[in-house]
Amino acid sequence: MLTDQARGFLNNHRVARFATAEPGGQPHVVPICYVVSDNSVYFTIDEKPKQLRDKPLKRIRNLQINPHVALVVDRYEEDWTQLGWVMVQGEAALLDDGEEHTKAQRLLKARYPQLDEMEISDLPVIAVRIKCVVSWGNLGTAS
């Protein structure tokens, strides 16, 4: 499923694009900071301005209706022999609390120290259960 080479590529990059679909099929894509653990990719919902706190984010509303999601991590270089990407497809689960939620937030804080400054312990984590991995190009970690 997730090869060592694809896992290394994901671990070496910092931002993914996360895609859900609206009920009518319209794609919705947002950048995320993520961590890979076992056969899941995790990202947390971070602090939002007050005007956004009263309504669940579109990505959450979408995955509650349709849990089939995808994310892409890519590398662009002017030297096109260095181009590469990994796409993860799977089903998303919303974690509001519990052991897995706590573990995911701990891993995310270790990877992104910026999260230490945010109050995220009570915020949801999205877990993408990896079902399919597609990759292309140069997945080496050195450019």
Side-chain angles (χ1 to χ4, degrees):
M1 191 175 320
L2 188 59
T3 65
D4 288 344
Q5 190 176 35
R7 185 180 298 274
F9 187 85
L10 294 174
N11 288 337
N12 193 51
H13 290 80
R14 310 281 289 168
V15 178
R17 280 71 177 178
F18 177 69
T20 59
E22 295 177 357
Q26 178 66 40
H28 178 74
V29 181
V30 293
I32 60 166
C33 294
Y34 65 93
V35 67
V36 179
S37 180
D38 300 320
N39 287 314
S40 293
V41 177
Y42 298 102
F43 65 98
T44 189
I45 303 303
D46 56 11
E47 294 177 310
K48 300 294 177 203
K50 183 166 178 28
Q51 67 269 23
L52 296 177
R53 292 184 202 160
D54 298 332
K55 182 178 181 183
L57 295 171
K58 184 178 229 31
R59 70 197 85 155
I60 293 175
R61 295 190 319 263
N62 287 348
L63 71 83
Q64 287 173 326
I65 295 167
N66 177 2
H68 301 285
V69 300
L71 61 92
V72 173
V73 175
D74 66 300
R75 175 179 50 224
Y76 178 83
E77 297 284 342
E78 294 299 328
D79 173 2
W80 282 14
T81 65
Q82 299 300 310
L83 300 179
W85 55 262
V86 173
M87 176 175 59
V88 172
Q89 297 172 320
E91 291 191 15
L94 190 62
L95 309 176
D96 289 316
D97 55 22
E99 186 177 318
E100 186 179 15
H101 175 271
T102 301
K103 174 188 168 189
Q105 287 198 336
R106 179 178 44 78
L107 291 171
L108 285 158
K109 283 185 174 190
R111 182 165 158 91
Y112 301 97
Q114 300 88 334
L115 290 173
D116 277 335
E117 305 298 318
M118 298 180 176
E119 293 294 328
I120 63 170
S121 61
D122 293 332
L123 297 175
V125 167
I126 295 174
V128 177
R129 310 302 186 200
I130 300 171
K131 302 289 184 194
C132 178
V133 177
V134 180
S135 63
W136 175 87
N138 184 340
L139 301 187
T141 56
S143 58

